[in-house]
Amino acid sequence: MNIGKKIRELRISQGLSQEDLAIRSNFSKSYIQKFEEGEREIKSSQLVQLSNGLNISISELLLGTTYTSEEFGLRNIEFREGYKINFTQEVFEKQILSELHGKYDAYNRLEKILKATILFQNPLKNFDVIECNKDVEEVAKYLRKKWKFETTPIYDLVSFLEDLGVKIFEVDYDESFAGFSCWEKNTPIIVINIRNADIPRRRFTVLHELAHLILKFEVSEKSENIERFCDYFAGAMLLPYDSLMTYIENKNSISLEELKRIKSKYGISIFAILVRIVNVGVVGWDKYKEWKELYMSWKDKDSPYEGVERVSRFNYLLAKGLNEELLSKSVASQLSGLPVKVLSNNSFSKEFVL
């Protein structure tokens, strides 16, 4: 069933005329007619309006339809290795697409109200296509220098990318799902699963998805090679070559304590560190397999990374809008999905008087 027919069925089942739905969803009657007859593409913000007018979730509106849109083309959806997928791809895409539409529309509206829209500038737009690991290493080194990290750790990666104009959204899904990225016109979007409590893995996923957004590849490049290059980029961004070499250059071995220190300082998993050592050519994959088995016997002696990596810019803008009276509490409630009472009782309403 196409989404126009679904809208018509839902409207009629609720006893609404096209004019009724138009009033409830803030459209003209002709818009509703064109939506139902499939003569007009339904965009992100319009899906939100229609779901509000029908008093259902976007997910309920999309499920069971063949809804298509040029917005949010879902590509390179990443599932975690070794996890069994307990859902069909089609149902999953409809669910996550519906959530993304709602979150994106609220974020976009909040930025426009506060005049705080950030236009993302791809720092690699003039770079050639990626053809080998050396190209990825050079790109990562260039980015770290441009972003003034040089060889230092990247703390609070998610907030840093948000401030560059990358919209990052959190969802809570089956653990097998790690994340994905897409473009909405000129806006880069990354979606991460907060059910993945392994913060180094979350950081790695964010950078892997960033690579999909800003690196260039030949159209004919195999997907497995693209995934490998994106993994290489994530490792190189988290642990720069020069920093890694200070730990392993001119040495015959590296201890678990040294690996734990690198993990703690740079926010990168020990497995990713070992792969990074292989990627820079210090050892081969056979040695990595030995190390992996050895690490599994050490795993209970590993230490967790203390970073957080949570999306924060939306809440920051929400608090700013409330504090500067650019938003009413009812509008803030509508955008955030939080009841007015909750907004009044938590940190959004707290001030430090200057």
Side-chain angles (χ1 to χ4, degrees), residues 279-295:
N279 281 339
V280 298
V282 174
V283 299
W285 286 106
D286 287 341
K287 178 62 71 174
Y288 167 77
K289 290 176 183 177
E290 290 180 25
W291 285 353
K292 188 175 179 179
E293 289 181 12
L294 180 59
Y295 172 69

Side-chain angles (χ1 to χ4, degrees), residues 313-332:
R313 187 167 183 268
F314 181 87
N315 285 348
Y316 155 72
L317 291 177
L318 199 67
K320 176 181 171 67
L322 287 169
N323 184 46
E324 297 178 9
E325 298 183 349
L326 300 171
L327 292 174
S328 66
K329 286 186 178 179
S330 61
V331 171

Side-chain angles (χ1 to χ4, degrees), residues 255-267:
S255 68
L256 175 60
E257 290 306 313
E258 287 174 299
L259 290 172
K260 287 164 62 177
R261 182 172 176 79
I262 298 172
K263 174 183 177 179
S264 176
K265 185 174 181 180
Y266 288 91

Side-chain angles (χ1 to χ4, degrees), residues 24-207:
R24 290 174 62 166
S25 55
N26 198 27
F27 286 115
S28 66
K29 181 182 175 181
S30 65
Y31 258 70
I32 299 299
Q33 184 176 352
K34 287 178 180 178
F35 288 152
E36 291 187 354
E37 294 177 0
E39 294 180 1
R40 193 178 190 94
E41 180 189 347
I42 303 174
K43 297 183 179 180
S44 172
S45 58
Q46 294 167 336
L47 266 182
V48 175
Q49 289 173 252
L50 287 165
S51 64
N52 288 339
L54 292 165
N55 196 30
I56 60 174
S57 69
I58 300 176
S59 181
E60 290 176 275
L61 184 58
L62 289 182
L63 286 177
T65 74
T66 54
Y67 170 77
T68 57
S69 170
E70 293 181 3
E71 297 177 294
F72 314 129
L74 301 187
R75 298 180 297 275
N76 52 273
I77 295 178
E78 183 190 0
F79 294 99
R80 298 177 65 191
E81 186 178 352
Y83 277 74
K84 182 180 179 181
I85 299 174
N86 298 314
F87 43 78
T88 65
Q89 184 88 357
E90 183 182 359
V91 170
F92 168 77
E93 288 192 6
K94 289 283 175 65
Q95 289 176 332
I96 203 162
L97 184 62
S98 67
E99 190 162 344
L100 181 56
H101 272 292
K103 288 176 180 287
Y104 180 83
D105 180 66
Y107 201 150
N108 214 26
R109 288 171 59 197
L110 181 59
E111 284 187 322
K112 286 179 179 178
I113 292 170
L114 271 62
K115 296 181 173 58
T117 301
I118 301 173
L119 298 178
F120 177 78
Q121 302 292 327
N122 186 349
L124 303 179
K125 63 181 179 181
N126 295 323
F127 273 69
D128 292 332
V129 296
I130 298 297
E131 295 181 342
C132 61
N133 286 349
K134 183 180 178 183
D135 293 341
V136 183
E137 194 76 56
E138 290 177 357
V139 160
K141 186 174 182 178
Y142 168 82
L143 268 186
R144 279 185 144 270
K145 184 175 182 179
K146 182 175 180 61
W147 287 341
K148 297 181 171 52
F149 290 113
E150 301 290 351
T151 60
T152 61
I154 304 176
Y155 298 115
D156 205 357
L157 171 67
V158 169
S159 293
F160 174 76
L161 293 178
E162 284 187 298
D163 287 341
L164 290 179
V166 180
K167 282 189 167 58
I168 303 179
F169 298 99
E170 297 172 338
V171 295
D172 186 357
Y173 275 97
D174 185 284
E175 283 187 83
S176 60
F177 167 63
F180 76 89
S181 54
C182 62
W183 287 89
E184 201 291 313
K185 295 181 181 176
N186 295 318
T187 301
I189 294 171
I190 294 175
V191 175
I192 53 176
N193 188 2
I194 59 171
R195 196 172 295 187
N196 176 13
D198 183 348
I199 302 304
R201 175 64 194 175
R202 191 181 300 177
R203 286 162 58 82
F204 192 94
T205 296
V206 168
L207 286 168

